[in-house]
Amino acid sequence: MPQQLILPIYTTVAKNPVTIFKKMDESVFDYPFFNDGVHHTIKTDASIPSNYSFTDIQLSAENKLLKIKGFIFHTSHCGSTLLSRMLGSSAQVRVVSETEAINGLLLSYALYHLPEKDVMVQLKAIMETYRQPAEDQKFLVFKLTSWNVFFIHLFQQIYPDVRWLYLDRDTNEVVNSLVKKGGGFAEWWEHPVDVFRKYFLGNEIKSISKENYLVQMVEHHRRFAITYKNEAACFLYYPGFIKDFERRILPHFLLPFSGDEIKKAMAATAYDSKKTEKVLFTGM
């Protein structure tokens, strides 16, 4: 029977951000995005409603916790969800994909100018709770929401030895996809106030055009990643990263996949990575 874990599911966007926990089936990690799994699990399990806090979690000894193997930062609409699904296809690997527990804290940090040291303490506490062991899992990879790259210095300070990857894509292709499908920071254009746009771009907002805004955001993502590039980094592009999976990505994250695990990961490329069920991929 699948194990249940007390996990952080979101953090309130507030001057005093509070992280909310619930007891979840570990299958929550099987979904393309962590909070999709939370929504589905809560919807189908009547025992979920009780909330928990950090004090309710008793972490195992360090040598029993999942080892954080890497962070995936990205430009958005560039195959990062596919990569996380490829990595998560192994029973050894847990992927935490774009959790609102991290997003809410980082938005609070940005909007309320919270002390960096306090945010780092809470961010580390959140991330450590995802290391709770379950079944055959040994390793943990975080796939961050694209705009989390603007806070990459926090992750680097907390986990200086953890390797990270930046997945990129041609700017025009990303913008065309965002215009067509929306999501993420593309939705900030529709906000009645421009607080998010001004925070991340400041005086760099040169046009009232949505397309120009998206171009500037994509370029800003890339610029931040390059600025913080270090010996722990690996930069790859869509769709070439698929061919680099065995040769570069697995060695970079020090993940020991067997031949069968590699075949299973590559088989995932045939399907739409953003669908829970197996739907053949027809293009981004």
Side-chain angles (χ1 to χ4, degrees):
M1 185 173 178
Q3 186 174 338
Q4 288 204 322
L5 303 169
I6 296 175
L7 298 166
I9 63 168
Y10 71 90
T11 299
T12 58
V13 179
K15 190 171 183 178
N16 295 299
V18 176
T19 301
I20 304 300
F21 294 76
K22 290 190 183 293
K23 185 174 287 187
M24 311 293 296
D25 189 293
E26 64 172 315
S27 63
V28 68
F29 298 109
D30 295 338
Y31 291 79
F33 301 96
F34 175 75
N35 284 82
D36 285 348
V38 171
H39 175 75
H40 178 81
T41 303
I42 290 177
K43 188 175 180 179
T44 58
D45 190 337
S47 67
I48 290 296
S50 298
N51 290 342
Y52 297 84
S53 68
F54 284 108
T55 57
D56 294 305
I57 299 176
Q58 298 295 322
L59 292 178
S60 305
E62 175 66 29
N63 63 350
K64 293 184 179 180
L65 297 175
L66 303 188
K67 184 173 181 59
I68 301 177
K69 283 293 192 176
F71 301 133
I72 299 172
F73 294 97
H74 56 98
T75 301
S76 185
H77 289 232
C78 60
S80 60
T81 304
L82 172 58
L83 175 56
S84 67
R85 300 282 274 183
M86 293 171 74
L87 292 169
S89 67
S90 166
Q92 300 184 84
V93 181
R94 172 186 297 167
V95 178
V96 179
S97 181
E98 305 195 17
T99 171
E100 293 301 323
I102 290 176
N103 289 343
L105 177 62
L106 295 182
L107 286 177
S108 298
Y109 174 50
L111 297 178
Y112 294 96
H113 309 289
L114 304 180
E116 185 171 286
K117 60 181 180 60
D118 294 341
V119 171
M120 288 174 61
V121 168
Q122 190 168 346
L123 178 58
K124 183 174 182 180
I126 289 169
M127 297 178 78
E128 288 293 303
T129 62
Y130 289 114
R131 297 180 64 195
Q132 297 172 74
E135 293 193 356
D136 299 325
Q137 294 176 340
K138 301 177 183 177
F139 310 119
L140 176 61
V141 174
F142 285 92
K143 197 264 276 195
L144 289 310
T145 304
S146 71
W147 54 265
N148 287 179
V149 74
F150 299 137
F151 305 94
I152 192 171
H153 65 288
L154 300 179
F155 296 90
Q156 290 181 339
Q157 289 181 69
I158 298 170
Y159 298 104
D161 298 322
V162 173
R163 298 185 176 197
W164 59 280
L165 182 150
Y166 187 74
L167 193 56
D168 206 349
R169 186 183 182 188
D170 175 80
T171 298
N172 289 332
E173 291 180 2
V174 174
V175 171
N176 289 338
S177 181
L178 285 166
V179 169
K180 180 180 178 181
K181 300 181 180 180
F185 60 84
E187 304 301 325
W188 295 348
W189 182 258
E190 311 301 334
H191 285 195
V193 293
D194 59 1
V195 60
F196 291 123
R197 301 197 298 273
K198 281 188 173 179
Y199 179 84
F200 292 108
L201 292 178
N203 294 329
E204 294 181 40
I205 301 178
K206 303 182 181 69
S207 171
I208 60 171
S209 159
K210 180 177 182 179
E211 287 76 9
N212 284 351
Y213 155 72
L214 293 174
V215 168
Q216 290 173 59
M217 282 292 284
V218 169
E219 291 176 345
H220 206 44
H221 278 66
R222 187 178 297 122
R223 191 156 52 243
F224 254 78
I226 292 172
T227 298
Y228 287 93
K229 186 176 182 179
N230 57 19
E231 65 280 357
C234 177
F235 279 59
L236 295 173
Y237 275 80
Y238 173 89
F241 79 88
I242 296 173
K243 293 182 179 179
D244 287 328
F245 183 76
E246 180 179 1
R247 183 176 64 90
R248 295 189 63 186
I249 296 174
L250 293 179
H252 180 67
F253 285 150
L254 302 177
L255 288 171
F257 274 35
S258 67
D260 287 341
E261 286 176 309
I262 291 171
K263 289 179 181 177
K264 188 174 181 181
M266 296 308 295
T269 64
Y271 301 98
D272 187 332
S273 60
K274 295 184 178 180
K275 303 287 187 183
T276 304
E277 64 280 7
K278 286 191 173 182
V279 177
L280 290 175
F281 178 69
T282 57
M284 292 186 71

